[in-house]
Amino acid sequence: GAVVSQHPSWVICKSGTSVKIECRSLDFQATTMFWYRQFPKQSLMLMATSNEGSKATYEQGVEKDKFLINHASLTLSTLTVTSAHPEDSSFYICSARVWTSGAFFGQGTRLTVV
Amino acid sequence: RKEVEQDPGPFNVPEGATVAFNCTYSNSASQSFFWYRQDCRKEPKLLMSVYSSGNEDGRFTAQLNRASQYISLLIRDSKLSDSATYLCVVNKRGEGSSNTGKLIFGQGTTLQVKP
């Protein structure tokens, strides 16, 4: 099946710094990828849709200047959490949609901002 | 109202039990439906797609009722390894019922199978 690889799997950073998370499709080309965030005991919440070669589209309430998304190639999308604060601590997951097979997810990145 | 609603549980059942999870969705134009499984601190993994005619995969049976906008998952002969959170997932329709490719997740139902 399709494989999506996400890196890093966990990161601890100081408040005010930026963190970049990478999401790669390993055996297929993904023109569209999705970024989700999950807080403890809550469901995955869609943050934005990453489109190869064009601007990402963000869900309502998600700050595009804080969560920078770049999708420069057909196999790589990156999410940068800028000026991270403790309230940004969460589980961030990317996915690529395979239309009739649902979505395949990266392993997730657990971000802790101290 | 949430777009996808599930009973969060937890459901605590003994090994060998049959357990059913329910889910409702609000957008009648939704076309694709899935059940995902998520283990603690891991990414979700596709368990099965859900079709109007109903479908079965081993001990798992999924049903869809479009009229009631209701999806179910039945697990027979529960195993300890079935303990996880089960996520009901629906595709998000855009304007004019266009397919956005986005998936909307329910809160998840937690299952704990005990020996």
Side-chain angles (χ1 to χ4, degrees):
Chain A
V3 179
V4 175
S5 177
Q6 188 172 339
H7 177 82
S9 56
W10 60 270
V11 59
I12 301 173
C13 71
K14 289 185 178 180
S15 187
T17 61
S18 295
V19 174
K20 180 186 282 189
I21 303 169
E22 294 187 347
C23 181
R24 294 180 184 274
S25 56
L26 297 185
D27 54 1
F28 66 103
Q29 293 180 334
T31 54
T32 303
M33 289 187 177
F34 302 92
W35 286 96
Y36 293 84
R37 179 168 55 182
Q38 186 178 33
F39 291 106
K41 298 189 184 299
Q42 294 187 26
S43 186
L44 279 75
M45 296 299 295
L46 180 65
M47 298 175 67
T49 302
S50 173
N51 304 297
E52 187 269 334
S54 64
K55 290 183 179 180
T57 53
Y58 291 80
E59 296 299 302
Q60 191 173 10
V62 178
E63 299 175 59
K64 62 179 181 180
D65 294 330
K66 182 170 182 62
F67 299 100
L68 301 179
I69 291 172
N70 185 278
H71 195 152
S73 78
L74 287 170
T75 59
L76 174 64
S77 174
T78 60
L79 169 69
T80 301
V81 183
T82 63
S83 186
H85 288 94
E87 58 266 31
D88 298 323
S89 299
S90 187
F91 190 48
Y92 292 85
I93 313 177
C94 68
S95 79
R97 181 82 193 271
V98 180
W99 293 98
T100 58
S101 306
F104 291 91
F105 288 84
Q107 301 93 323
T109 298
R110 193 159 300 281
L111 171 64
T112 302
V113 185
V114 297
Chain B
R1 181 186 173 188
K2 293 180 181 177
E3 291 185 77
V4 180
E5 294 205 60
Q6 292 181 253
D7 179 350
F11 284 59
N12 295 300
V13 303
E15 269 188 292
T18 295
V19 61
F21 304 140
N22 303 319
C23 169
T24 57
Y25 59 96
S26 62
N27 191 331
S28 60
S30 299
Q31 292 292 327
S32 303
F33 311 90
F34 309 92
W35 282 102
Y36 277 76
R37 169 190 171 132
Q38 186 175 26
D39 293 287
C40 188
R41 304 175 80 85
K42 298 282 189 179
E43 77 278 17
K45 293 188 177 177
L46 180 65
L47 181 65
M48 59 197 304
S49 301
V50 187
Y51 305 114
S52 296
S53 55
N55 47 303
E56 186 174 308
D57 182 2
R59 297 181 293 109
F60 299 85
T61 301
Q63 296 278 355
L64 167 65
N65 184 323
R66 288 186 184 273
S68 302
Q69 295 177 205
Y70 170 92
I71 306 163
S72 66
L73 176 68
L74 183 75
I75 304 176
R76 291 182 297 277
D77 189 23
S78 300
K79 311 291 185 189
L80 295 177
S81 57
D82 294 335
S83 298
T85 296
Y86 291 83
L87 303 169
C88 176
V89 182
V90 175
N91 77 311
K92 184 177 178 69
R93 306 300 292 187
E95 291 183 2
S97 293
S98 61
N99 191 339
T100 65
K102 302 176 185 177
L103 297 179
I104 304 300
F105 287 77
Q107 182 182 1
T109 300
T110 299
L111 172 66
Q112 183 68 45
V113 181
K114 298 186 181 298

